[in-house]
Every structure is written in structure tokens, then in C-alpha cells.
Amino acid sequence: MGMTQHAEPAVSSPPASGPGKVKDGRTAERPLALRVLARPEVGVFLGAVAVWVFFLIAAPPVRDGSSMANILYQSSTIGIMALPVALLMIGGEFDLSAGVAVITSALTASMFAFQLTLNVWAGVVVALLVSLAIGFLNGWLVVRTGLPSFLITLGTFLILQGVNLAVTKLVTGNVATDDISTMDGFDQAKKVFASSFEVGGVQVKITIVYWLVFAAIATWVLLRTRYGNWTFAVGGNKDSARAVGVPVTFTKISLFMLVGFAAWFVGMHNLFSFNTVQSGEGVGQELIYISAAVIGGCLLTGGAGSAIGPVFGAFMFGMVQQGIVYANWNPDWFKAFLGVMLLGAVLINLWVSRTATRR
Amino acid sequence: MDRSSLSRSRRFAPAVALAAAAALTLAGCSSSSGGKKSEESADGASAGKATTPRMTIALVTHQSPGDTFWDIVRKGAQAAAAKDNVDLVYSADPSAANQATLVQNAIDKKVDGIAITLAKPDALKDVVAKAKKAGIPVVGLNSGVSDWQKLGLMEFFGQDESVAGEALGKRLNEAGAKNAVCVIQEQGNIGLTQRCDGVKKTFTGKLQTLNVNGTDMPSVKSTITAKLTQDKSIDYVVTLGAPFALTAVQSASDAGSKAKIATFDLNKDLTGAISKGTIEFAVDQQPYLQGYLAIDSLWLYKNNGNYMGGGEQPVLTGPAFVDKSNVDAVAAFAAKGTR
């Protein structure tokens, strides 16, 4: 009964990469503007612009460059994870363990290096292997059992949550890791994962650059490579994809491993910008990543979406979350504001794509 | 069929016994010597071991997983249990209904004493009455300073969250603060809200509250940065947990703000930050002491009939301030994760 197993319903929208439908005379060629609007990321782009303009008016501090850098920083740590989560969703699966996997990676790197008194890069490499292995395990279990990824990754989510806590406590005697900021290689790793640079007097965090670079690569892969086609195909209809020679197993497992890679990356950012990691963190983040992807135009049923949409989805999260603070609204309403703004953005998104696809 | 399986099981019996013995030996080795475990049991004060009969005590808290604070409570309880020849059964659940079930489990196990936190006293009322009916002594710790007597607990160890907040507010007045922000890392948590409300009561300046997403540090960092940018006149950031204080230091520097940082609760990184001067002070409610006294008091009651606080007054463990003047005395204990 998994969402990936039944055939693609006939009414579902076509994949974003394949707009070139053969004209059969029943439909007239639609105007360019409407065709642009029909792309999945355009709705969320307009939503993001609307939210941005709204806060530019409502919250004067947002107009400042450093505030924008701060908002983008928050968006980038969500966005780097939202990208592979979106690709995975296009491939017809999703990953509930993505939030705690970030912390697992950070804990692994920190404890491995600290306990064995190694250069921190050793921990970084081990953490990468662990993260990829978790992704592989998720993917392999999903493919082998045919169970919905919801169940499999719910399982790994709980396992990782428990393991994060228990192993950290076992190894360090506390529930947080030791401070590694004085160890060899730390400054170097901090430069790579958690530095910032100046642009016109504004401190910009490096994660923003990585976020945009990763998004560009993901877009290229999705639209211009065979792997991108495979991703759409396995998410659309696994069985017919397999019938035409798409390596379904490879595609699905590698998509899960991609989530593992991003979890490692964000985990390293957390570790090297805050020096220690608390083992209870990360819970609930998976839903934020998934929301950013969905707001960004990825269908929960797979087979449709883009890599650029989640960029705006993540931006919207960062913008709304910080915008509320910049606007100095009553903090008790914080989550409610967040929900209303996001729901509003999704509705704009929906309205735009409906309007655009109407003849 | 029967015979063959019987004979097979006979043949295998010595092997099974051997394996079991090996496993037990291994288990014995790993628990008694070496490794992190011995380090843990050596934590804090070790005052020999009582020769009183072995007893079982259940400690049931509303801890949420992975919280450094509760880890210290548990270590205190473990230290007392080791000293008092007590078998400590620790369990925790943030939901009050589940916590009540855990208390019921302890009653069913016929433990010799129960120590509980009263984060939501009403939900635990019935189960506490059941424990009393079963003749099991119950003490309270950490939260519930205003309710423990109503529920008929024997003793209570902890601090009043609002009293701690009030103490911090007074301290802010002494420091000359004018505009402070109280950072809540878990929206809707009553203990955290009481702390901020306590600060508000005594602080003569302006106090704002700020909700942050405590499970995502980058988000905590940028939200505090945003607040400090939005209101440039903020001169003190008050966090309600040690890790958030350390993050607030980064936020202040990101925002180019001169705001000073104060916090509730301690951990080992925080003591370092206090001695360096990046964090001004911390209010410590001595969680280790709460756990330790709760277990020790039940032991004393069983073996000598004593009541701490005379059964009338709570035994207060906080608020104790840790600042530059006394941080060195505390740092060594915090490094072990017991203070």
C-alpha cells in the first residue's frame, strides 16, 4: 500500500523536465507566460517574493544587508538538507531520519576524533562513511522490503535518536560531546564548513555559497543528465521505469545516500560552528526539510518537482522565522505565524499553478 | 522425536552453560573494571558503601531525551545509590500521562521508595495516592515546590523556578541592565516560562521574551542574532540552558551587539566561558544535589526514620550563582559533568 507502488494516476501533472508534449490539435499552444507559470518552482518563487516584500515593509531591520545575510544563513542550513530530500521525494520516497542523521554525523566526527585524540579530519571522514552507510541502509531496506519509506525511515529515525543519546552517554559520560575546538585540524575544518567572508561590509556565512552551488548542481543533474531522468522515472512509476531499463535499485539507494551526504555536510557545519553537539538535537528538523521541499513544489507522491523550488522553500522558512523576530511580533504567536505564512505561500503556489495550467 | 531432541539438548547443555558463564564473566568484567563506566561511577563524591540491606528505589522524572541538565540529576542519584547499597531504577517521560504510568510500574514492582518530579502535579495525584496506599514512601524533586505537600509527599528537594528567576532579575538590576531578552528554547514549557516570569517580577528594566527552536542550533543562533539586530538597545541576553548561552555569545558577536549573556544551569563548557568572561554568570540549581538527596533521603527514612526539611519545608538546592569570583571552585566538578 505504499505511495510508491500504485501506478501514476492519469491526471497527475507531467514531469517538469518534459514540457514538450506533441500537439494533437485539442489544445492550442499556450502563451509563454502561462507556460513559465506552470513550472513547479514558479509558484514558490512568487510566494517567496511575496513573503520577502511583506517583511521588507513590516520589519524595517530586514532592509539591512547583514539581516539578509542572517536570514540566508538560517535558510541555507535548512536548504542544504532540503535539496536531497526534494530529490528523494521526486524519486518517490522520503526520509524521516534526515533530522537526527545530521546530529548522528556531528556526534560521530566529534567523538571519534576526541576519544582517540586524532586530527579532527579523521573524525570528519569517519562521519562521512557513517552518514553514507545510514543512507545506504535506508535505501537498501526500502528497496529490498518494498515497504513504504515512511515506515523504514521512521524506524531509523527512532534508532538514530536512541543511538545518538545512548552512545554519546556511553562514550563521553555526558549527553553532549566534548569541546574539540583546541584539537589539530579544527581551524582548517572550520574554514571549510563554518567560515564566513565579507561582501560589502556584510559578513556572509559560507553555507550560503555551498547551498547555492549544491542547488545549481542538483538542477543540472535533474534536468540534463540520465540520472535526473532516472530520478523522475522511479518516482513516477517504478515498475514501468524498471521495464524500460532504469536501474531502480541503484537510483533509490543513491538518492538515500545523497541525503546521507547532505546530513554529513550540515552535521559538520553544526560541529565546527558550535564546537560541541548535544545528543538530543535534530528531532523535528526532518519535517522542516520535507516542508521546504513540498512548498518548493515537490509532490508527496513523487515523480514531479525541481531542485530550485526547495531553495525558495527553504528561503521562505528562514524569511518567515526571522522576519517575525525582526518585526518584533508577540513571540507566543511565533509558530502560529509561521504556519499561517507558510500555508499562505503554499496556497499562492497552488493558485499560480492552477491558473497557469488552465486553458 | 522427543528422545532425540532431549539427547540433543543434553549434548548442548554444557556448551550453553559454558557460553552463559562466559557471557556472565564478560558482563562482570565490563561492569566492575575499566572503561567509561568506572569513570562514571567514580564521579562525584564516593563515600564508601553502606552495609544496610539492599533496597530498590525508583526515580521517575519528566526528562526529555538528551538534556544535559537531567543527566546531572541522574548522576547525583547514581552516586547516592552506589553509596547506599541501593538498586536505582531510572525512568523518564516528558508526557505527564506516561510519567504516571511509569510510577504505576514502580508500584507494581513493589519498590522500597519512589522519587518523582512534579512538572504536572494534577496528572500524578492519583498515582501518588496509590503509592502511599501501598505503603511506599514518595519524595519529590526539581519541580513541584508548591504542590508536594498537597499531594502528600514526604520531602522535597529543589528550587522554585520563579524564585530562581527572581534572583536572576535582582542580579540584573545590580549589573545595571536596562533592556533584557529572555530566550525560551521550548515554547510552552511551564518551567521555562516560570523562569522568565520570575525575572520579570524583580527586574526593573524592560524584559522581552524570544522563542527559539532548541533542537536546531543554527536556527537558535540566527534567531538571537535577529533579535539583537531588531532591538539594538538590548544589553542582556538571558538563556534558560547552558548550551544556548554559548550560542548566544556567537549571536551577539554576529549582530555586532554589546549585550552581555547570563544563563540558568551550568555545564563544563559554560564554566570555561564564565572564567574567560564571555558569559557573565549562571544560576545553578545544583541538579546533582537534587538527585543525590532524593535517593539518600529515602535510604535515611528506611534505615533511620529521618525526614529532611522536617517533613514541613522543602530542601532548597538553589539558586546558587556561579560567576567569575567562584567559577574556579566549580569548574573541576563541572568538567566531570556533575555540577
Side-chain angles (χ1 to χ4, degrees), chain B residues 190-201:
Chain B
I190 181 152
L192 301 182
T193 314
Q194 282 170 347
R195 285 180 177 181
C196 287
D197 289 348
V199 178
K200 202 167 218 163
K201 232 183 200 171

mmCIF file with all atom_site columns, all heavy atoms in Angstrom, chain B residues 190-201:
data_model
loop_
_atom_site.group_PDB
_atom_site.id
_atom_site.type_symbol
_atom_site.label_atom_id
_atom_site.label_alt_id
_atom_site.label_comp_id
_atom_site.label_asym_id
_atom_site.label_entity_id
_atom_site.label_seq_id
_atom_site.pdbx_PDB_ins_code
_atom_site.Cartn_x
_atom_site.Cartn_y
_atom_site.Cartn_z
_atom_site.occupancy
_atom_site.B_iso_or_equiv
_atom_site.pdbx_formal_charge
_atom_site.auth_seq_id
_atom_site.auth_comp_id
_atom_site.auth_asym_id
_atom_site.auth_atom_id
_atom_site.pdbx_PDB_model_num
ATOM 1  N N   . ILE B 1 190 ? 6.372  24.860 30.872 1.00 0.00 ? 190 ILE B N   1
ATOM 2  C CA  . ILE B 1 190 ? 5.959  25.689 32.005 1.00 0.00 ? 190 ILE B CA  1
ATOM 3  C C   . ILE B 1 190 ? 7.137  26.130 32.871 1.00 0.00 ? 190 ILE B C   1
ATOM 4  O O   . ILE B 1 190 ? 7.201  27.281 33.305 1.00 0.00 ? 190 ILE B O   1
ATOM 5  C CB  . ILE B 1 190 ? 4.877  24.975 32.849 1.00 0.00 ? 190 ILE B CB  1
ATOM 6  C CG1 . ILE B 1 190 ? 4.435  25.841 34.019 1.00 0.00 ? 190 ILE B CG1 1
ATOM 7  C CG2 . ILE B 1 190 ? 5.357  23.639 33.358 1.00 0.00 ? 190 ILE B CG2 1
ATOM 8  C CD1 . ILE B 1 190 ? 3.044  25.577 34.468 1.00 0.00 ? 190 ILE B CD1 1
ATOM 9  N N   . GLY B 1 191 ? 8.096  25.225 33.097 1.00 0.00 ? 191 GLY B N   1
ATOM 10 C CA  . GLY B 1 191 ? 9.245  25.577 33.931 1.00 0.00 ? 191 GLY B CA  1
ATOM 11 C C   . GLY B 1 191 ? 10.020 26.750 33.348 1.00 0.00 ? 191 GLY B C   1
ATOM 12 O O   . GLY B 1 191 ? 10.423 27.671 34.060 1.00 0.00 ? 191 GLY B O   1
ATOM 13 N N   . LEU B 1 192 ? 10.201 26.705 32.021 1.00 0.00 ? 192 LEU B N   1
ATOM 14 C CA  . LEU B 1 192 ? 10.946 27.770 31.348 1.00 0.00 ? 192 LEU B CA  1
ATOM 15 C C   . LEU B 1 192 ? 10.177 29.084 31.424 1.00 0.00 ? 192 LEU B C   1
ATOM 16 O O   . LEU B 1 192 ? 10.756 30.148 31.660 1.00 0.00 ? 192 LEU B O   1
ATOM 17 C CB  . LEU B 1 192 ? 11.213 27.389 29.885 1.00 0.00 ? 192 LEU B CB  1
ATOM 18 C CG  . LEU B 1 192 ? 12.009 26.105 29.658 1.00 0.00 ? 192 LEU B CG  1
ATOM 19 C CD1 . LEU B 1 192 ? 12.239 25.875 28.175 1.00 0.00 ? 192 LEU B CD1 1
ATOM 20 C CD2 . LEU B 1 192 ? 13.345 26.157 30.379 1.00 0.00 ? 192 LEU B CD2 1
ATOM 21 N N   . THR B 1 193 ? 8.872  29.003 31.234 1.00 0.00 ? 193 THR B N   1
ATOM 22 C CA  . THR B 1 193 ? 8.048  30.207 31.300 1.00 0.00 ? 193 THR B CA  1
ATOM 23 C C   . THR B 1 193 ? 8.107  30.815 32.701 1.00 0.00 ? 193 THR B C   1
ATOM 24 O O   . THR B 1 193 ? 8.211  32.041 32.857 1.00 0.00 ? 193 THR B O   1
ATOM 25 C CB  . THR B 1 193 ? 6.593  29.865 30.939 1.00 0.00 ? 193 THR B CB  1
ATOM 26 O OG1 . THR B 1 193 ? 6.603  29.048 29.767 1.00 0.00 ? 193 THR B OG1 1
ATOM 27 C CG2 . THR B 1 193 ? 5.781  31.107 30.673 1.00 0.00 ? 193 THR B CG2 1
ATOM 28 N N   . GLN B 1 194 ? 8.077  29.932 33.734 1.00 0.00 ? 194 GLN B N   1
ATOM 29 C CA  . GLN B 1 194 ? 8.147  30.433 35.108 1.00 0.00 ? 194 GLN B CA  1
ATOM 30 C C   . GLN B 1 194 ? 9.454  31.164 35.385 1.00 0.00 ? 194 GLN B C   1
ATOM 31 O O   . GLN B 1 194 ? 9.484  32.142 36.117 1.00 0.00 ? 194 GLN B O   1
ATOM 32 C CB  . GLN B 1 194 ? 8.002  29.266 36.085 1.00 0.00 ? 194 GLN B CB  1
ATOM 33 C CG  . GLN B 1 194 ? 6.570  28.793 36.242 1.00 0.00 ? 194 GLN B CG  1
ATOM 34 C CD  . GLN B 1 194 ? 6.489  27.500 37.022 1.00 0.00 ? 194 GLN B CD  1
ATOM 35 O OE1 . GLN B 1 194 ? 7.496  26.825 37.252 1.00 0.00 ? 194 GLN B OE1 1
ATOM 36 N NE2 . GLN B 1 194 ? 5.283  27.153 37.446 1.00 0.00 ? 194 GLN B NE2 1
ATOM 37 N N   . ARG B 1 195 ? 10.526 30.675 34.794 1.00 0.00 ? 195 ARG B N   1
ATOM 38 C CA  . ARG B 1 195 ? 11.810 31.343 34.994 1.00 0.00 ? 195 ARG B CA  1
ATOM 39 C C   . ARG B 1 195 ? 11.764 32.769 34.457 1.00 0.00 ? 195 ARG B C   1
ATOM 40 O O   . ARG B 1 195 ? 12.152 33.710 35.132 1.00 0.00 ? 195 ARG B O   1
ATOM 41 C CB  . ARG B 1 195 ? 12.921 30.566 34.284 1.00 0.00 ? 195 ARG B CB  1
ATOM 42 C CG  . ARG B 1 195 ? 13.305 29.315 34.994 1.00 0.00 ? 195 ARG B CG  1
ATOM 43 C CD  . ARG B 1 195 ? 14.405 28.593 34.250 1.00 0.00 ? 195 ARG B CD  1
ATOM 44 N NE  . ARG B 1 195 ? 14.813 27.414 35.003 1.00 0.00 ? 195 ARG B NE  1
ATOM 45 C CZ  . ARG B 1 195 ? 15.767 26.592 34.600 1.00 0.00 ? 195 ARG B CZ  1
ATOM 46 N NH1 . ARG B 1 195 ? 16.390 26.807 33.462 1.00 0.00 ? 195 ARG B NH1 1
ATOM 47 N NH2 . ARG B 1 195 ? 16.096 25.555 35.333 1.00 0.00 ? 195 ARG B NH2 1
ATOM 48 N N   . CYS B 1 196 ? 11.285 32.887 33.211 1.00 0.00 ? 196 CYS B N   1
ATOM 49 C CA  . CYS B 1 196 ? 11.217 34.227 32.603 1.00 0.00 ? 196 CYS B CA  1
ATOM 50 C C   . CYS B 1 196 ? 10.269 35.113 33.399 1.00 0.00 ? 196 CYS B C   1
ATOM 51 O O   . CYS B 1 196 ? 10.558 36.297 33.635 1.00 0.00 ? 196 CYS B O   1
ATOM 52 C CB  . CYS B 1 196 ? 10.762 34.133 31.150 1.00 0.00 ? 196 CYS B CB  1
ATOM 53 S SG  . CYS B 1 196 ? 12.028 33.483 30.055 1.00 0.00 ? 196 CYS B SG  1
ATOM 54 N N   . ASP B 1 197 ? 9.136  34.541 33.837 1.00 0.00 ? 197 ASP B N   1
ATOM 55 C CA  . ASP B 1 197 ? 8.186  35.329 34.623 1.00 0.00 ? 197 ASP B CA  1
ATOM 56 C C   . ASP B 1 197 ? 8.813  35.784 35.933 1.00 0.00 ? 197 ASP B C   1
ATOM 57 O O   . ASP B 1 197 ? 8.565  36.901 36.400 1.00 0.00 ? 197 ASP B O   1
ATOM 58 C CB  . ASP B 1 197 ? 6.926  34.502 34.911 1.00 0.00 ? 197 ASP B CB  1
ATOM 59 C CG  . ASP B 1 197 ? 6.078  34.303 33.667 1.00 0.00 ? 197 ASP B CG  1
ATOM 60 O OD1 . ASP B 1 197 ? 6.359  35.000 32.660 1.00 0.00 ? 197 ASP B OD1 1
ATOM 61 O OD2 . ASP B 1 197 ? 5.161  33.464 33.683 1.00 0.00 ? 197 ASP B OD2 1
ATOM 62 N N   . GLY B 1 198 ? 9.631  34.908 36.531 1.00 0.00 ? 198 GLY B N   1
ATOM 63 C CA  . GLY B 1 198 ? 10.331 35.266 37.756 1.00 0.00 ? 198 GLY B CA  1
ATOM 64 C C   . GLY B 1 198 ? 11.260 36.442 37.542 1.00 0.00 ? 198 GLY B C   1
ATOM 65 O O   . GLY B 1 198 ? 11.306 37.385 38.340 1.00 0.00 ? 198 GLY B O   1
ATOM 66 N N   . VAL B 1 199 ? 12.005 36.402 36.422 1.00 0.00 ? 199 VAL B N   1
ATOM 67 C CA  . VAL B 1 199 ? 12.915 37.505 36.106 1.00 0.00 ? 199 VAL B CA  1
ATOM 68 C C   . VAL B 1 199 ? 12.115 38.793 35.964 1.00 0.00 ? 199 VAL B C   1
ATOM 69 O O   . VAL B 1 199 ? 12.482 39.850 36.502 1.00 0.00 ? 199 VAL B O   1
ATOM 70 C CB  . VAL B 1 199 ? 13.699 37.220 34.805 1.00 0.00 ? 199 VAL B CB  1
ATOM 71 C CG1 . VAL B 1 199 ? 14.599 38.389 34.452 1.00 0.00 ? 199 VAL B CG1 1
ATOM 72 C CG2 . VAL B 1 199 ? 14.531 35.949 34.937 1.00 0.00 ? 199 VAL B CG2 1
ATOM 73 N N   . LYS B 1 200 ? 11.008 38.696 35.283 1.00 0.00 ? 200 LYS B N   1
ATOM 74 C CA  . LYS B 1 200 ? 10.164 39.867 35.016 1.00 0.00 ? 200 LYS B CA  1
ATOM 75 C C   . LYS B 1 200 ? 9.702  40.528 36.318 1.00 0.00 ? 200 LYS B C   1
ATOM 76 O O   . LYS B 1 200 ? 9.604  41.744 36.416 1.00 0.00 ? 200 LYS B O   1
ATOM 77 C CB  . LYS B 1 200 ? 8.938  39.421 34.202 1.00 0.00 ? 200 LYS B CB  1
ATOM 78 C CG  . LYS B 1 200 ? 8.284  40.554 33.433 1.00 0.00 ? 200 LYS B CG  1
ATOM 79 C CD  . LYS B 1 200 ? 7.303  39.977 32.415 1.00 0.00 ? 200 LYS B CD  1
ATOM 80 C CE  . LYS B 1 200 ? 7.317  40.751 31.108 1.00 0.00 ? 200 LYS B CE  1
ATOM 81 N NZ  . LYS B 1 200 ? 6.719  40.013 30.010 1.00 0.00 ? 200 LYS B NZ  1
ATOM 82 N N   . LYS B 1 201 ? 9.429  39.684 37.334 1.00 0.00 ? 201 LYS B N   1
ATOM 83 C CA  . LYS B 1 201 ? 8.906  40.160 38.609 1.00 0.00 ? 201 LYS B CA  1
ATOM 84 C C   . LYS B 1 201 ? 9.864  41.135 39.290 1.00 0.00 ? 201 LYS B C   1
ATOM 85 O O   . LYS B 1 201 ? 9.451  42.143 39.840 1.00 0.00 ? 201 LYS B O   1
ATOM 86 C CB  . LYS B 1 201 ? 8.683  38.953 39.526 1.00 0.00 ? 201 LYS B CB  1
ATOM 87 C CG  . LYS B 1 201 ? 7.298  38.871 40.138 1.00 0.00 ? 201 LYS B CG  1
ATOM 88 C CD  . LYS B 1 201 ? 7.261  37.685 41.047 1.00 0.00 ? 201 LYS B CD  1
ATOM 89 C CE  . LYS B 1 201 ? 5.858  37.220 41.328 1.00 0.00 ? 201 LYS B CE  1
ATOM 90 N NZ  . LYS B 1 201 ? 5.899  35.926 42.053 1.00 0.00 ? 201 LYS B NZ  1
#
